[in-house]
Amino acid sequence: MTDEQNLIKEVNEEVRQDNYKRIWNKYKKYIISLIVIVLVIVSAININNYSKEKKINKQSELFFQALDNIEKKNYAEAYKILLDINQSQVSGFSDLSSFYILDLINKEHVPLNFEDLKINKKSFFYGLIILQKFNNQINFEIENINNINEIINLSKPSSIWKFFAHELLASYYIKKNDANSALQSINTILSSDEPSELIKERAKTLKETIER
């Protein structure tokens, strides 16, 4: 490389450095602000993820404590823990706790009480939990059922829980001495090819009960 080429290279390098300096001096406040904002956002996301993970781990720990209490027949303590998990609405453990709470009530291990039970409408299992609750209410407090329209909605053709809903509605109407409504739900099950043989057999049994 000749002296002339070296000189041109040095001049170009100095020009670039001067340009960088001018840009930095002109925009350094904005650049620094942008870096700070990015760091704050990244830190907030990490803190949030860590907090969520910590809460989920805590719910997992509590859930298995509840199962241990159920195994030891400490039902009152298990119910208390499960209700705390349910109230938190932190993760899937909230849904699981709902099923176990309903099971404890159904088996009469704890007093009947649905008032404190939280059910997340966005949960995939929302319909199933509502139906399980309805089933318990049919058995224990049929006169206090006030969400029959919600069960009817779950029996619509678009619902994935429709046949379970019709089965429970039939049982409800039989207990309310409304045979016509019960038969409508039963016939919906029997006239379809979709429900399992088990559900159809139960529907036939209910129909026989009405027609006796």
Side-chain angles (χ1 to χ4, degrees):
M1 186 178 290
T2 64
D3 291 341
E4 184 178 352
Q5 287 175 325
N6 283 329
L7 180 61
I8 292 172
K9 184 179 178 181
E10 288 178 10
V11 169
N12 287 337
E13 184 64 31
E14 288 179 4
V15 169
R16 276 198 299 272
Q17 289 180 3
D18 286 342
N19 286 335
Y20 292 150
K21 287 179 182 178
R22 281 197 296 273
I23 291 171
W24 173 252
N25 289 333
K26 186 174 182 180
Y27 298 107
K28 64 181 178 181
K29 290 183 180 179
Y30 302 104
I31 294 171
I32 291 171
S33 297
L34 180 61
I35 292 171
V36 170
I37 290 169
V38 170
L39 288 174
V40 168
I41 291 172
V42 170
S43 298
I45 291 171
N46 288 336
I47 290 169
N48 185 53
N49 289 339
Y50 173 75
S51 177
K52 281 184 178 178
E53 185 179 350
K54 196 173 179 182
K55 286 179 181 177
I56 290 171
N57 288 338
K58 180 64 176 176
Q59 298 306 302
S60 172
E61 182 183 331
L62 288 172
F63 181 74
F64 286 105
Q65 279 182 23
L67 295 189
D68 185 55
N69 276 290
I70 290 173
E71 189 175 339
K72 293 175 180 176
K73 299 184 179 180
N74 297 328
Y75 300 122
E77 183 61 24
Y79 176 78
K80 181 181 176 184
I81 295 171
L82 289 168
L83 195 59
D84 285 342
I85 297 171
N86 171 257
Q87 295 289 314
S88 72
Q89 294 289 303
V90 169
S91 65
F93 286 106
S94 179
D95 290 338
L96 280 174
S97 69
S98 299
F99 286 117
Y100 275 88
I101 287 170
L102 291 168
D103 187 58
L104 288 174
I105 292 173
N106 191 45
K107 291 177 179 175
E108 300 185 49
H109 292 318
V110 295
L112 179 66
N113 179 16
F114 295 119
E115 296 302 319
D116 296 328
L117 190 63
K118 279 189 177 180
I119 304 174
N120 186 354
K121 290 189 175 183
K122 294 181 180 179
S123 168
F124 175 77
F125 296 106
Y126 173 76
L128 186 59
I129 296 171
I130 288 293
L131 290 171
Q132 180 64 50
K133 177 182 175 181
F134 183 61
N135 181 49
N136 287 11
Q137 289 178 308
I138 290 172
N139 293 326
F140 296 109
E141 55 170 20
I142 193 167
E143 298 304 325
N144 294 326
I145 292 175
N146 57 12
N147 65 332
I148 191 68
N149 288 332
E150 193 169 26
I151 307 303
I152 291 171
N153 284 334
L154 288 173
S155 71
K156 289 180 178 178
S158 58
S159 170
I160 62 173
W161 311 111
K162 53 184 175 289
F163 297 115
F164 294 106
H166 275 299
E167 188 175 14
L168 290 176
L169 281 171
S171 297
Y172 169 78
Y173 288 128
I174 288 171
K175 289 196 174 186
K176 298 291 283 185
N177 296 316
D178 185 351
N180 289 332
S181 296
L183 283 171
Q184 284 180 16
S185 284
I186 291 169
N187 288 331
T188 299
I189 296 171
L190 295 177
S191 63
S192 175
D193 295 327
E194 294 181 47
S196 68
E197 286 302 316
L198 181 61
I199 291 177
K200 283 199 169 187
E201 285 301 318
R202 290 199 298 258
K204 288 175 184 177
T205 302
L206 288 173
K207 190 171 185 179
E208 289 170 3
T209 301
I210 295 171
E211 293 176 342
R212 281 174 189 168

